[in-house]
Amino acid sequence: MAESIVPLARLDVSPTDKRSSGWHGLVFMIATEAALFVYLLFSYYFLASQSAGPWPSSGAPSLAVALPSTFVLLASSGAAQWGVMGIERGRSSRLAMGLGLALALGIGFTGLQLWEWAHKTFTPATDVYGSLYFTITGVHLLHVAVGLLILAFLLVWTLMGRFTKARHEHITLGVYYWHFVDVVWLAVFTTFYLTPRLG
Amino acid sequence: MADVALPDLNGEGSGALQGLWQAKPGVLGWLASVDHKEIGKRYIITAFLFLVIGGLEAEMMRLQLARPNQTLLTPEQYNQLFTMHGVTMIFLYALPMLSGFSNFLWPLLLGSRDMAFPRLNALSYWVYLFAGVFIYSTVLIGQAPDAGWFNYTPLSGKEYDPGANIDVFALGMIFLGVSTTVGALNFVVTLMRTRAPGMSVNRLPIIIWGTLTASVANLFAVPALSAACLLLWLDRGFGMHFFDPAGGGQPLLWQHLFWIFGHPWVYALVLPAMGIVSDALPVFCRRPLVGYTAVALATVTTMVVGFGVWVHHMFATGIPPLAIAFFGAASMVIAIPSAVAVFAWIATIWTGRPVFKTPFLYFAGFIALFVIGGVSGFMTGAVPLDWQLTDTYFVVAHLHYVLLGINVFPVIGGLYYWFPKAVGRMMNERLGRWSFWVSFIGFNLAFFPMHISGLLGMPRRVYTYGAHLGWDATNMITSVGSVIFAAGVGLTLINLVVSRYRGAPAGPNPWDGSTLEWSVPSPPPPYNFRRIPIIASRHPLWEARLNESPERSVLDSDLALDHGRETISTTSLDAEADSILKMPDDSLAPLILGLGLTVLFFALLWRAWWPAGAGLAICVAAVAFWLAPTADPVPAKERARG
């Protein structure tokens, strides 16, 4: 038998911190999803730059609903993170509360988005601006739906007592995904609601 | 023979490992397997099948074009054939074939027991298979994609192409993108996590560099195609205006998005194949690769520059001169890293003692074809020349020299090289040489005259041509050559099938190779390594003869890791032992998720919203089952082993 140069006994088994395979997988998953939004927003800016008339033709969209809904989504991220900090101290009831609150606020954001959709004066088929608006906010909303599903499953598993102070990698990764959905919204919000006001 | 004693194959603990790692018997066990070697072989067989289908499509077109004014095919049939030929070869053969090699080889090369995400690996195969079936499904109703593999708008818009043809293209590309993305992600994380101790980044085989570079690129490039296809599908099905000038859209947006994806993609189709040559060619030159570091860096550089050349597909679209100048210059700069690799291979042959076995012939042939294809690429990188040659057969000749030259020739050489490892038997050498010479002569006979057809002004994608245009001779030669080339590939196919049953036994290291895969039995056991090796150099099996340092790799270490399915995890750069990874058991969840996605995409194609919801529900259930946390993931006693 060869000499032992690897201290086997001192190695962790399936670490759950940033050395875990799951963490690495999530980072690259987020990278490729972020690239998808980069290309969608590239399409927006490309088509805006090629547009002959004023952009958007209906004027800069109102902030009346979009701005509050942005804060709702940010608050949802915050609530989820508050829950994560709870389980890091071993408090799974605080985690459950955080996830429940994040879920409720996320559903609130979705409701506000759908309300705004319903009150637009244009449709996806009106012109290319309408196509861009509904497609890009729609793809984001799909990501919100995925995030809400993740939060819901995490909440159920939390209530089943599956997570402890030592083992809660699912929570960390799921909530990171939720933060990502939040950050994407900031990019979408900036593009659609703020950049038309710059000109 | 190799310099080191290979580990005892049936040593202590091998029976227990066999029990832990082997798939369960029966059909369900086969469907649930997550063994990277099994998945790699499935990828290779499926991709080879698509190569044959795409080849038959090409032969039908060559029959039509052999002489002027033929009417074997209608224009519409011809459109579907050249589109499906391109889609099949580029999307369903070229990258999946390389994924097959990499899936089979990576853990064996890296000294690991599996990929970082074995179940994700199974998912990437199933989704590839189902997406391939999906893309071919509308052939049955005569509505296959028919606007070319790059599917330009407005030709691919609803107005000019009202059938299901383009919808199946758009949805199929998004579907296939799922497979490419999860596969790429798996390669990247595997590289970062599951390597043997000592397998530091400066010791990685070049095919690892090639596949890693291609995978990182795919993660950032594939979303551009998915986005483009989504927008096109919405334009076609829901009256949106992304590519419709009447509603403020721009057809050119499609070209930008497609080629932002497409150009990195063509490098993803060649870099792992160049890696095959960089690793296997030196074995037949009896020396290490010349310029390892330069070749590894050239691999990465090619891709970095490759993200900045997409507009060279669009020189003739009226883009501003400044942009054209930039992209033309970038397209020429990219010749430099390619040349670095070519000179490294030539120097390896020059300074080595070549052994002229079949794989060597294919690799040497590849170098010749790469140079020809590279030069014609450099020519079309020159903007004024491109204006003359774009959309002619010159470009068809160029792209076949690079894609067949840099992908198919290394792949077939690689099949001859690694077949003994995968199957345990040698391929027939005499038949192999025949296959090479027939393929090589047929290939050049088929594709070299295409340059001339193009210079004489023959446009690509015409279903026939008049007799007075001077294209008769070159087209006839091309058609004859294509049949000879197909016969050469056919000889390899026969060789594969016959050798599978009748080949001479290979033994663990028939070529006297230097890398880790040759240290294990042929075929490798389900657990790959009875003991995780500890690596001290780039050539663990050649250390005594090279004698580059006094350090020696340890192939028979004490790293048994037999408390369940386990492998070791190391740090990303230096590969120091970091932790022990519990690996998942076989699972049907990937197959079920793949089937759920298939239901979803067929439902989207026919716009059947309830079945789409059902498909989605299957997907959600499969993912939730897959990812559900176990009640107690790691028993407390496991954490303090020793």
Side-chain angles (χ1 to χ4, degrees):
Chain A
M1 183 70 65
E3 77 276 32
S4 178
I5 58 171
V6 174
L8 202 55
R10 278 190 275 129
L11 297 183
D12 286 343
V13 176
S14 294
T16 57
D17 51 19
K18 288 185 180 172
R19 292 175 298 157
S20 80
S21 301
W23 162 254
H24 285 81
L26 181 78
V27 167
F28 289 100
M29 169 87 181
I30 284 178
T32 188
E33 292 241 50
L36 176 67
F37 281 97
V38 166
Y39 293 121
L40 289 173
L41 294 177
F42 165 82
S43 303
Y44 173 92
Y45 290 111
F46 177 81
L47 292 168
S49 75
Q50 303 283 312
S51 138
W55 183 271
S57 51
S58 47
S62 157
L63 291 171
V65 180
L67 194 60
S69 74
T70 302
F71 288 116
V72 170
L73 194 59
L74 286 173
S76 174
S77 253
Q81 193 58 37
W82 179 75
V84 172
M85 286 152 69
I87 194 68
E88 280 167 358
R89 293 176 183 77
R91 296 177 201 156
S92 84
S93 56
R94 178 170 146 187
L95 173 63
M97 279 198 302
L99 290 174
L101 196 57
L103 201 57
L105 289 166
I107 292 168
F109 172 84
T110 310
L112 288 171
Q113 273 290 104
L114 293 176
W115 188 89
E116 178 150 13
W117 272 19
H119 289 77
K120 284 287 177 196
T121 54
F122 52 83
T123 72
T126 306
D127 63 0
V128 75
Y129 179 80
S131 307
L132 283 164
Y133 173 79
F134 283 101
T135 302
I136 296 177
T137 56
V139 172
H140 178 259
L141 215 49
L142 276 179
H143 282 72
V144 171
V146 171
L148 290 175
L149 265 175
I150 291 174
L151 290 177
F153 274 106
L154 291 177
L155 180 59
V156 170
W157 288 327
T158 303
L159 296 174
M160 287 164 72
R162 290 285 169 88
F163 302 116
T164 63
K165 182 178 176 182
R167 290 273 155 185
H168 55 266
E169 191 185 7
H170 285 70
I171 297 289
T172 320
L173 301 186
V175 171
Y176 264 112
Y177 187 83
W178 188 236
H179 294 333
F180 162 69
V181 172
D182 201 345
V183 170
V184 167
W185 171 251
L186 293 180
V188 172
F189 175 75
T190 305
T191 299
F192 278 93
Y193 292 89
L194 300 186
T195 59
R197 289 163 205 278
L198 296 175
Chain B
M1 278 316 294
D3 301 349
V4 291
L6 297 178
D8 179 8
L9 312 181
N10 302 309
E12 171 203 353
S14 58
L17 283 168
Q18 182 80 24
L20 283 170
W21 286 85
Q22 75 183 352
K24 290 185 182 59
V27 177
L28 278 184
W30 190 84
L31 292 173
S33 174
V34 296
D35 183 338
H36 71 95
K37 299 179 289 297
E38 193 58 40
I39 294 165
K41 284 189 274 186
R42 289 176 195 177
Y43 255 110
I44 290 173
I45 292 169
T46 313
F48 211 109
L49 205 66
F50 278 118
L51 177 72
V52 171
I53 295 172
L56 292 175
E57 288 161 353
E59 294 304 333
M60 288 163 77
M61 288 189 286
R62 285 322 313 177
L63 215 57
Q64 162 77 8
L65 292 179
R67 297 187 313 147
N69 297 318
Q70 298 223 93
T71 52
L72 296 169
L73 298 169
T74 64
E76 174 56 28
Q77 285 169 337
Y78 191 86
N79 289 349
Q80 295 193 14
L81 275 173
F82 77 68
T83 301
M84 289 310 285
H85 169 71
V87 167
T88 304
M89 293 308 203
I90 286 169
F91 294 108
L92 300 176
Y93 156 74
L95 192 81
M97 176 58 94
L98 298 175
S99 300
F101 271 90
S102 298
N103 269 316
F104 181 83
L105 288 171
W106 266 49
L108 292 170
L109 290 168
L110 294 174
S112 167
R113 287 201 173 132
D114 208 325
M115 304 275 288
F117 300 114
R119 289 171 297 183
L120 205 58
N121 212 13
L123 176 70
S124 84
Y125 172 73
W126 293 122
V127 172
Y128 157 54
L129 177 67
F130 298 150
V133 171
F134 178 82
I135 291 168
Y136 262 91
S137 62
T138 51
V139 170
L140 300 174
I141 55 168
Q143 295 189 14
D146 60 352
W149 75 274
F150 43 79
N151 199 54
Y152 278 177
T153 54
L155 182 63
S156 56
K158 194 84 177 166
E159 189 181 346
Y160 301 106
D161 208 334
N165 315 56
I166 303 301
D167 294 319
V168 82
F169 176 94
L171 291 170
M173 287 296 128
I174 297 174
F175 193 7
L176 184 64
V178 174
S179 163
T180 313
T181 300
V182 297
L185 183 146
N186 203 358
F187 283 123
V188 176
V189 179
T190 297
L191 179 99
M192 297 180 80
R193 298 307 292 155
T194 61
R195 306 189 325 242
M199 183 57 85
S200 48
V201 285
N202 56 332
R203 291 173 183 158
L204 300 172
I206 299 284
I207 188 177
I208 305 277
W209 281 106
T211 310
L212 173 72
T213 306
S215 300
V216 173
N218 279 339
L219 287 178
F220 292 101
V222 170
L225 178 64
S226 302
C229 287
L230 172 69
L231 303 186
L232 180 61
W233 184 65
L234 293 172
D235 257 19
R236 293 176 53 86
F238 302 87
M240 297 200 196
H241 304 285
F242 296 106
F243 308 112
D244 164 30
Q250 280 286 342
L252 214 54
L253 175 63
W254 171 271
Q255 294 196 27
H256 278 296
L257 288 174
F258 187 88
W259 291 115
I260 287 173
F261 150 80
H263 212 84
W265 177 265
V266 300
Y267 288 113
L269 302 186
V270 299
L271 290 175
M274 289 160 72
I276 289 176
V277 176
S278 294
D279 290 336
L281 177 71
V283 172
F284 295 92
C285 299
R286 314 307 307 141
R287 58 153 299 147
L289 176 70
V290 173
Y292 169 91
T293 309
V295 174
L297 290 177
T299 305
V300 178
T301 309
T302 303
M303 189 54 90
V304 172
V305 182
F307 268 90
V309 300
W310 82 87
V311 171
H312 74 211
H313 297 270
M314 303 162 61
F315 282 158
T317 55
I319 282 191
L322 183 66
I324 288 191
F326 172 83
F327 284 96
S331 305
M332 293 194 167
V333 164
I334 211 162
I336 295 172
S338 306
V340 166
V342 168
F343 286 120
W345 297 318
I346 293 173
T348 305
I349 298 175
W350 195 285
T351 59
R353 289 175 285 122
V355 181
F356 296 95
K357 297 279 190 185
T358 305
F360 178 89
L361 296 177
Y362 273 100
F363 301 146
F366 143 81
I367 297 173
L369 302 180
F370 184 16
V371 171
I372 297 173
V375 168
S376 61
F378 192 79
M379 289 166 73
T380 48
V383 177
L385 198 55
D386 184 74
W387 283 342
Q388 172 67 26
L389 296 174
T390 193
D391 274 333
T392 70
Y393 261 86
F394 190 90
V395 174
V396 181
H398 161 68
L399 78 92
H400 283 86
Y401 264 88
V402 287
L403 287 179
L404 280 96
I406 320 182
N407 183 295
V408 176
F409 276 75
V411 158
I412 295 182
L415 283 176
Y416 279 92
Y417 181 64
W418 279 296
F419 180 89
K421 177 51 60 188
V423 175
R425 293 175 181 276
M426 303 299 288
M427 286 177 73
N428 186 292
E429 180 64 20
R430 176 193 287 264
L431 195 53
R433 284 167 198 241
W434 271 98
S435 82
F436 168 74
W437 286 109
V438 173
S439 305
F440 190 73
I441 292 168
F443 175 86
N444 284 290
L445 208 55
F447 293 104
F448 200 84
M450 278 189 181
H451 292 106
I452 300 164
S453 304
L455 289 169
L456 293 174
M458 180 170 173
R460 64 195 292 192
R461 297 178 170 174
V462 289
Y463 82 103
T464 191
Y465 53 93
H468 59 286
L469 293 164
W471 305 335
D472 305 16
T474 49
N475 273 290
M476 179 52 93
I477 298 170
T478 292
S479 290
V480 171
S482 77
V483 175
I484 296 174
F485 178 59
V489 177
L491 289 178
T492 291
L493 193 60
I494 293 169
N495 201 345
L496 286 166
V497 175
V498 173
S499 303
R500 164 78 179 76
Y501 298 101
R502 302 230 187 117
N509 191 2
W511 310 110
D512 187 17
S514 70
T515 38
L516 276 182
E517 80 274 31
W518 304 109
S519 72
V520 298
S522 307
Y527 48 89
N528 293 355
F529 298 93
R530 191 175 66 85
R531 298 282 196 258
I532 302 289
I534 298 167
I535 308 304
S537 77
R538 240 171 246 162
H539 305 282
L541 306 191
W542 282 3
E543 282 168 0
R545 84 182 69 158
L546 295 174
N547 209 17
E548 288 166 330
S549 91
E551 282 185 71
R552 293 291 180 261
S553 299
V554 184
L555 299 180
D556 205 13
S557 77
D558 58 353
L559 297 175
L561 298 186
D562 50 6
H563 299 227
R565 286 193 183 185
E566 294 179 335
T567 195
I568 204 155
S569 167
T570 55
T571 56
S572 294
L573 290 178
D574 301 325
E576 287 164 5
D578 179 82
S579 49
I580 295 167
L581 296 182
K582 288 280 177 193
M583 303 304 276
D585 281 325
D586 289 356
S587 167
L588 283 170
L591 175 62
I592 293 167
L593 178 53
L595 288 170
L597 285 169
T598 309
V599 172
L600 173 64
F601 275 90
F602 271 108
L604 290 178
L605 181 62
W606 303 117
R607 308 230 245 135
W609 305 121
W610 285 109
L616 207 56
I618 296 173
C619 294
V620 171
V623 172
F625 173 78
W626 182 335
L627 295 178
T630 48
D632 186 13
V634 179
K637 63 179 163 57
E638 277 268 34
R639 240 162 281 142
R641 181 183 294 174

